[in-house]
Amino acid sequence: MLTREDNERLTRVGPGTPMGELMRRYWVPAVFSHQLPAPDCPPVRARLLGEDLVAFRDTSGKPGLVDERCPHRLASLFFGRNEEHGLRCVYHGIKFDVDGNCVDVPCVAPGTASDNQMGAIKRQLKIKSYPCIERGGVIWAYMGPAELQPEFPDPEWARLPADQRHATRHIQECNWLQGLEGGFDAPHLTFLHGGSAEPSRGIVPSLYEVVPTDFGFVVGTARDLGGENYHWNINVMLMPFHKIISSVPHAAHMWMPIDDEHTMLYSIDFKPTGGAFTE
């Protein structure tokens, strides 16, 4: 059993927490690409690792992820107008690009500030932003120090054509570790899910092996089918919260922390050898 202190260390994900800082060293899922269907479309909210953010797609189609609050009077940029390569706050018209730079301050009357003064105002108004990339129908963000930004891990399902994968997501009212632990808990498939996924799951696993790796761990579970026959199932855990499942079709999960008590579970079914999913 974990101590209370260890549990707090593992499950708190806000800025400045040990696990929160570790999570920020990885590319994490922010929103689905289809939530931002076109350039200059309305922004969407994204709460990640305890931070309230807004995702938007600018005029060139580039995705951005910025602080939800305008630094001027803290109005929500979720209500902002997405136009001409930036998100404009509806309160006073201050505008920000995908890198968080203030690019327009129309509420400063013309002629009342020199170019140097206007430059200083814009620098003061720069907001928090996170780099984004788009892979596999997901917009990913890197929320850690710029000098430590890693390459995107490029999982197999993210490299496939769109018709060879099917992704959904839903909120779990628990911390990310509770969600991930449930995802690797083989006996609960038998008792909770009733073996509906495959007949062999009606048999409680008799063997459970964990192999540590430099990227996470691999879990093997075996169900005794009688005689010398066992049904093995292999699941791979990739840091920080990914799971690859040996099913047909293949599947992957990501337990993305929203905050300390809520988790966004992404579920992806995919067919690496071809074959489209039907609606």
Side-chain angles (χ1 to χ4, degrees):
M1 295 291 290
L2 291 176
T3 65
R4 182 179 183 87
E5 291 73 22
D6 284 344
N7 186 71
E8 292 285 312
R9 184 183 299 271
L10 288 170
T11 60
R12 302 304 181 191
V13 295
T17 62
M19 183 55 71
E21 292 304 304
L22 177 62
M23 294 273 190
R24 285 165 172 79
R25 302 298 194 270
Y26 295 85
W27 286 96
V28 298
V31 297
F32 281 132
S33 295
H34 66 71
Q35 293 179 263
L36 300 174
D40 293 335
C41 63
V44 297
R45 285 189 172 107
R47 182 165 169 80
L48 308 175
L49 299 173
E51 298 184 33
D52 292 321
L53 306 165
V54 168
F56 69 103
R57 192 184 296 278
D58 73 6
T59 307
S60 68
K62 183 178 181 181
L65 186 68
V66 299
D67 195 336
E68 181 183 349
R69 297 295 175 181
C70 175
H72 178 217
R73 296 297 297 274
L74 301 183
S76 174
L77 292 174
F78 170 70
F79 301 105
R81 294 204 305 266
N82 189 7
E83 58 187 20
E84 299 178 345
H85 297 282
L87 191 58
R88 189 181 295 279
C89 179
V90 295
Y91 200 2
H92 294 94
I94 299 173
K95 186 176 178 181
F96 306 92
D97 67 13
V98 293
D99 297 317
N101 298 310
C102 177
V103 295
D104 190 24
V105 192
C107 52
V108 175
T112 60
S114 66
D115 290 344
N116 287 339
Q117 289 172 326
M118 183 58 71
I121 291 172
K122 289 181 177 180
R123 288 191 295 273
Q124 187 179 15
L125 289 172
K126 181 178 173 63
I127 60 173
K128 177 174 59 182
S129 67
Y130 295 120
C132 294
I133 57 176
E134 204 161 1
R135 298 287 190 279
V138 175
I139 294 172
W140 306 75
Y142 173 69
M143 301 173 66
E147 66 274 13
L148 298 178
Q149 181 176 317
E151 294 184 7
F152 183 69
D154 205 22
E156 181 180 27
W157 63 264
R159 302 194 302 268
L160 296 174
D163 64 354
Q164 288 177 225
R165 62 176 184 267
H166 177 69
T168 61
R169 70 177 195 173
H170 69 272
I171 295 174
Q172 294 183 321
E173 294 185 342
C174 62
N175 65 58
W176 75 275
L177 188 56
Q178 288 171 308
L180 185 140
E181 286 178 331
F184 282 91
D185 176 7
H188 97 275
L189 293 173
T190 301
F191 292 99
L192 180 62
H193 299 292
S196 60
E198 58 179 270
S200 65
R201 285 184 176 166
I203 304 171
V204 178
S206 57
L207 297 173
Y208 195 91
E209 298 290 339
V210 180
V211 179
T213 68
D214 59 357
F215 54 78
F217 56 80
V218 177
V219 174
T221 56
R223 291 172 170 83
D224 188 350
L225 302 182
E228 297 181 355
N229 297 315
Y230 286 84
H231 179 274
W232 280 93
N233 182 268
I234 306 299
N235 295 314
V236 181
M237 188 276 181
L238 307 172
M239 286 292 290
F241 45 61
H242 302 255
K243 177 185 178 183
I244 307 297
I245 307 167
S246 62
S247 59
V248 179
H250 297 286
H253 291 326
M254 298 182 289
W255 285 271
M256 174 62 205
I258 297 173
D259 52 35
D260 294 343
E261 298 174 348
H262 301 86
T263 300
M264 186 68 77
L265 172 58
Y266 287 78
S267 300
I268 304 97
D269 292 331
F270 61 100
K271 298 181 178 180
T273 58
F277 283 92
T278 58
E279 294 295 333

